Amino acid sequence: MARVGLLTGGGDCPGLNAVIRAAVRRGLADGGHSFVGFRYGWAGLLEDDALELTLESTAGILPRGGTILGTSRTNPFAKGRDGLGKIRRTLESRGVDALIPIGGEDTLGAALRLHSEGIPVVGVPKTIDNDLAGTDMTFGFQTAVQIVTDAVDRLHTTAESHNRVIVVEVMGRHAGWIATHAGIAGGADAILVPERPFDIEEVCARLRRRHERGRSFSIVVVAEGATPREGTLQTREGTATDAFGHARLGGIGTLLEREIESHTGYETRVTILGHVQRGGTPVAFDRVLATRFGVAAMDAIAAGRFGTMVALRGTEIIEVDLEEALREPKLLDPALYETAELFFG
Ligand code: F6P
């Protein structure tokens, strides 16, 4: 019987608690596995900060947003940290046989490195951005799409009342999955995504055509990672980065607000949805996916299939090679974007 360590790393995501609950329930049902939860991502392993996960301590958490373990963007392999040594010592002193890190590219990247050092891991993919390869979908994504769609519906009525253009900035660092899904669901008039650098003149021409046809308002959904086509617009790069060296994004919506208003003369406002997209209770789809991932991760541990990541392929839960899954981000399907474009302008 194994003693299993769990941790949640990176940005939080609705459904994390459902994964924790499911892994624990599966392990207990199997007879005798025990669980320890490390607090605040890799920081919990570095600092030996942990709590026992039991039937009681994981009861009632299925619909709760956030993570009972806390999370952080701590990079265990940051210079001068002796991360590997500290993690080995914590695992040994707590008698942990295998780890289930629940996270995105950075958390799972660290997990892969531990696997290559002989520490048994099974990853669970997590990101509201839905940009992890190897899985058709990550939990949290559907919740984020629903939150953005609700916001776009609300922004529609105020945009229409005031004859305004409203720019809605949403999450999506490398990929425009949230922007495109919510943009289609909410009937956006333009969707700007990281995969397709935009030309401000083209965006404005589209809005003008729409307004010339008698519409007096427009909704533009922009992913935070969207960029202008080279040489077209000057963006201001922020300097803040996280422990993995990623720039803190945000600001493209504000730039668009200014540029659209000055190019078209239409009154324009920006709404930055930010972390509201990650907060609160997961929608039913994400609860189910997270539960299936938690159960599958425990099954992989019990069977000794390490260095893997559980994933959704079609309607099936499968295991994929962790290294393979992390090679490239999963970018937007061009066919999906073309469908969205049919409704622009
Ligand atoms: O983890 C994904 C994500 O939600 C990105 O879309 C966003 O850029 C980032 O997290 C925000 O991170 P933080 O919580 O550190 O501001």
Side-chain angles (χ1 to χ4, degrees), residues 11 73 126-129 171-173 224 249 275 278:
R73 295 195 188 275
K126 169 255 36 159
T127 163
I128 65 161
D129 290 1
M171 283 189 172
R173 175 172 286 277
E224 62 180 352
L249 297 180
H275 294 82
R278 293 212 312 238

Side-chain angles (χ1 to χ4, degrees), residues 161-219:
S161 303
H162 285 268
N163 295 336
R164 282 175 173 160
V165 175
I166 292 195
V167 177
V168 191
E169 184 183 305
V170 304
M171 283 189 172
R173 175 172 286 277
H174 308 295
W177 290 104
I178 296 177
T180 305
H181 275 248
I184 292 173
D189 305 299
I191 302 172
L192 309 179
V193 295
E195 292 88 339
R196 298 184 177 222
F198 64 87
D199 181 338
I200 189 68
E201 300 289 349
E202 278 173 23
V203 174
C204 291
R206 240 181 215 152
L207 297 180
R208 264 190 229 102
R209 275 200 300 277
R210 173 177 153 83
H211 287 224
E212 279 158 16
R213 282 203 324 270
R215 307 314 300 264
S216 59
F217 71 97
S218 291
I219 300 285

